[in-house]
Amino acid sequence: MKKMLDILGKKALLLLVIMAIGVSCTDDLDVMPQDDDDFTAEKFYENPQAYRMFLAKLYLGLAKAGNGEGDGGEDLQGIRNDFSPYLRAFYTLQQLPTDESVIAWQDGNLPSMNSHTWTSNNEFIYVMYSRTFYQISLANEFLRQSTPDKVGSRNVDPAILNDMKSYRAEARFLRALSLYHAMDLFGRVPIVTENDPVGFFYPQQREKIDIFNYIKDELIAIDADLKESRTNEYGRVDKIAAKMLLSKLYLNAEVYIGQPKYAEAADALQAVLNSTYQIANVPYKYLFMADNDVNGAQNEFIFPVRFDGQYTTSGGTNYLVHASILSSMNASDFGVDGGWKGLRARREFVNKFADVTGASDNRAMFHTTGQTLDIASIADETQGYGVTKWTNKRSDGSNGSNPTGAFVDTDFPLFRLADAYLMYAELAVRGQGSLSQAVTYVNALRTRANAGTISQGDLNLDFILAERSRELYWECHRRQDLIRFGKFTGGSYLWQWKGNSANGAPISDHLKLFPIPDRAKAANPTLQQNTGY
């Protein structure tokens, strides 16, 4: 059975985290960002494993809603805890507004995410905003508590003591990651660090150039202290994860700060491409199965968010597996106890697999029986093809570790090498790389998918955008990609229910950013709303 995060060493350590932290980390979601008092108590640091448990909490924050068994003791209050995990909220914002997916559910303001009709009182947008700054506040507290003076005054396991530079660098990476997500989704946001006051204060919004430079400088600064490629425990970041994030930051620079940084993106990406990560020599479907930490897929995963069917629940891949199972599908085929009848594919995404030679593309993982291709009503779960990409089945056909099938083991590859291959191809078309090498990279992925190969003449930005969708769909890239390629807003590319129109309608450029949530503005009156809201 897969461990609940290798960074914990043993599953028993997760229980120590739960017992040591005990209660919800944030009493009131209305005060954000807020540092966590539970990690400031000296009693917590009486345990020689305390810093390892704290670091585990930083990673777990991307997967779980809280500290308790299941999703009990949730970090954030004011929304159902099954809606509040970081990765699930991230999917809602990065995928539902795009041509790749819709969700049938009518909970609260969720339907507006399908149709670009959201407002600043949307609770799902607020959860993502809050999650990013909650993660940042935890990382800040870890850094406050792990200074040489603090560590020197405590009984720390010698192995942890020797690894403390890496621990602190990893915390800084995770902080940079959440700030990157916040900038990508909301634009101008505060920068809060370990040097800011603990407790209540009003952090000031910063210009995007300031945020961009801060993230860049942090990722460059931590390189010396992060571990070399694939020498860290699986599930923890290394130098290559930081280079991958840095290259993504540069790749999207023109969107963020109005300045193209493609040469810098190519330079950072080279370290990723030259690393010990490899395109997994397994069928494409293995990358999204319950044993993707051991079936060969892990060789491609630069940074996975880890899940375990007995300890992590509701958020992330548990949501992706269950919510994708429709009434016309058998839950047992996916190793789980039932379907939630929500997520489906939009017509335009399905049609991408008919646009390129190689109709047998193994990445086209759709369920069509009992489903229509067109979506006349998003709320009708029989409209729109089902997607079978995510599963709780292992590659040997057995189910994941949870005996009831209620929760899944499948890890989520936040960064994987296939993305880096396609980033190189994009950069080559933009003048920063070899087109022949780009074809080699693209064809490596297409060959694995039995999709047929392409020639250099096929490479253009439209092809690359479509190929990124075929390879990376439902992995939380699509909104960012559409914006970078100039296809998200306006009317040059339409899809069903874009702009709340059955066959798509142009939408305003202001929708490239989400609004600063009303509740966040009420808690911090200095925050200024994004244009258009």
Side-chain angles (χ1 to χ4, degrees):
M1 181 182 67
K2 183 167 69 178
K3 294 176 183 177
M4 164 55 198
L5 283 171
D6 286 347
I7 65 170
L8 296 175
K10 298 179 181 179
K11 287 180 287 182
L13 264 179
L14 176 62
L15 301 180
L16 288 177
V17 174
I18 294 166
M19 289 185 290
I21 302 170
V23 298
S24 171
C25 288
T26 302
D27 293 330
D28 186 355
L29 191 59
D30 290 334
V31 180
M32 294 300 295
Q34 175 178 323
D35 288 297
D36 196 302
D37 293 337
D38 298 314
F39 294 107
T40 65
E42 282 300 318
K43 185 172 181 58
F44 176 73
Y45 295 97
E46 291 176 3
N47 190 320
Q49 296 290 324
Y51 285 105
R52 191 170 175 84
M53 291 189 290
F54 197 164
L55 185 65
K57 174 60 181 176
L58 297 184
Y59 282 99
L60 284 165
L62 300 176
K64 282 173 59 68
N67 302 315
E69 292 278 10
D71 274 324
E74 59 267 24
D75 301 322
L76 307 180
Q77 297 181 6
I79 191 170
R80 278 173 35 190
N81 66 347
D82 55 339
F83 279 126
S84 74
Y86 192 113
L87 188 55
R88 180 164 170 172
F90 190 49
Y91 183 95
T92 296
L93 273 61
Q94 288 285 22
Q95 291 293 155
L96 292 185
T98 76
D99 58 342
E100 288 185 354
S101 68
V102 295
I103 194 163
W105 303 341
Q106 300 296 297
D107 302 85
N109 291 306
L110 186 59
S112 70
M113 304 307 296
N114 296 311
S115 57
H116 312 96
T117 55
W118 54 74
T119 65
S120 56
N121 71 347
N122 186 295
E123 66 272 34
F124 298 91
I125 295 174
Y126 180 49
V127 163
M128 189 63 213
Y129 185 92
S130 301
R131 272 289 172 195
T132 59
F133 286 102
Y134 177 74
Q135 283 291 107
I136 289 168
S137 72
L138 284 182
N140 286 339
E141 190 55 38
F142 183 92
L143 293 169
R144 291 188 190 102
Q145 295 295 333
S146 59
T147 62
D149 287 346
K150 290 276 191 181
V151 172
S153 68
R154 293 164 175 163
N155 179 26
V156 181
D157 182 282
I160 295 173
L161 191 62
N162 290 336
D163 215 14
M164 191 57 69
K165 283 188 177 180
S166 178
Y167 275 36
R168 286 178 57 85
E170 290 170 55
R172 290 171 71 181
F173 170 90
L174 293 169
R175 179 175 64 183
L177 176 70
S178 287
L179 186 59
Y180 167 76
H181 288 159
M183 178 180 65
D184 181 76
L185 296 165
F186 301 103
R188 294 175 61 246
V189 295
I191 299 174
V192 186
T193 77
E194 72 273 25
N195 298 317
D196 285 305
V198 176
F200 182 81
F201 77 107
Y202 292 145
Q204 301 295 308
Q205 272 174 308
R206 302 288 292 274
E207 296 300 323
K208 284 186 283 186
I209 185 65
D210 297 328
I211 304 166
F212 182 94
N213 285 334
Y214 176 82
I215 296 169
K216 169 181 65 71
D217 292 345
E218 278 289 279
L219 294 173
I220 292 171
I222 63 178
D223 179 77
D225 291 333
L226 287 170
K227 295 194 175 182
E228 297 293 335
S229 173
R230 299 190 72 189
T231 63
N232 210 346
E233 298 167 283
Y234 174 74
R236 288 172 61 184
V237 298
D238 57 21
K239 291 178 184 289
I240 304 307
K243 288 293 187 183
M244 185 72 169
L245 181 53
L246 182 61
S247 63
K248 283 187 167 292
L249 180 73
Y250 284 133
L251 183 63
N252 291 282
E254 194 164 13
V255 173
Y256 299 148
I257 61 173
Q259 303 172 28
K261 300 279 186 181
Y262 299 126
E264 293 88 342
D267 183 62
L269 190 65
Q270 204 57 52
V272 179
L273 298 169
N274 292 339
S275 74
T276 57
Y277 289 93
Q278 303 171 6
I279 295 299
N281 187 27
V282 296
Y284 179 78
K285 66 180 181 179
Y286 278 32
L287 276 67
F288 314 101
M289 302 187 85
D291 60 344
N292 61 356
D293 63 325
V294 294
N295 68 13
Q298 75 278 9
N299 296 324
E300 187 171 322
F301 291 178
I302 295 170
F303 180 36
V305 179
R306 301 216 61 194
F307 290 90
D308 184 293
Q310 298 192 56
Y311 293 94
T312 50
T313 61
S314 293
T317 52
N318 194 63
Y319 161 69
L320 290 174
V321 173
H322 280 88
S324 302
I325 300 172
L326 309 172
S327 295
S328 58
M329 301 162 70
N330 295 317
S332 60
D333 293 342
F334 300 85
V336 293
D337 57 350
W340 297 350
K341 309 171 187 177
L343 294 172
R344 295 100 70 210
R346 301 201 201 211
R347 176 185 66 196
E348 289 75 16
F349 168 60
V350 174
N351 289 341
K352 283 178 174 37
F353 289 92
D355 293 339
V356 181
T357 58
S360 61
D361 195 324
N362 292 333
R363 300 171 298 186
M365 305 173 75
F366 301 118
H367 172 86
T368 61
T369 304
Q371 301 297 128
T372 65
L373 176 61
D374 286 313
I375 303 174
S377 171
I378 293 177
D380 185 347
E381 52 111 359
T382 69
Q383 298 183 23
Y385 284 175
V387 171
T388 61
K389 178 171 178 172
W390 296 97
T391 181
N392 191 41
K393 284 285 189 180
R394 298 187 179 109
S395 49
D396 65 2
S398 61
N399 294 341
S401 65
N402 188 286
T404 69
F407 307 112
V408 310
D409 287 344
T410 314
D411 292 344
F412 185 94
L414 198 63
F415 297 155
R416 61 183 176 97
L417 188 60
D419 184 9
Y421 274 21
L422 293 171
M423 289 167 64
Y424 182 93
E426 178 183 342
L427 287 164
V429 172
R430 295 185 188 275
Q432 297 295 330
S434 160
L435 289 174
S436 61
Q437 181 62 63
V439 169
T440 299
Y441 283 146
V442 170
N443 282 337
L445 304 179
R446 293 184 61 80
T447 299
R448 175 172 65 181
N450 193 36
T453 59
I454 65 162
S455 65
Q456 189 168 309
D458 297 313
L459 276 185
N460 56 56
L461 290 179
D462 285 341
F463 170 84
I464 291 166
L465 179 61
E467 190 68 10
R468 285 186 63 81
S469 186
R470 287 184 284 265
E471 176 69 28
L472 301 168
Y473 66 97
W474 289 28
E475 296 179 48
C476 296
H477 299 284
R478 190 57 174 169
R479 171 192 156 274
Q480 184 185 85
D481 287 350
L482 287 169
I483 292 172
R484 186 172 69 256
F485 283 80
K487 302 293 187 182
F488 185 68
T489 57
S492 64
Y493 175 45
L494 301 178
W495 57 86
Q496 285 199 306
W497 296 105
K498 179 179 179 178
N500 202 29
S501 174
N503 288 305
I507 60 175
S508 169
D509 278 349
H510 83 273
L511 294 169
K512 291 178 182 177
L513 291 175
F514 291 101
I516 304 297
D518 288 342
R519 290 173 65 186
K521 289 178 81 274
N524 182 353
T526 70
L527 298 178
Q528 299 298 308
Q529 186 55 272
N530 285 327
T531 301
Y533 293 103

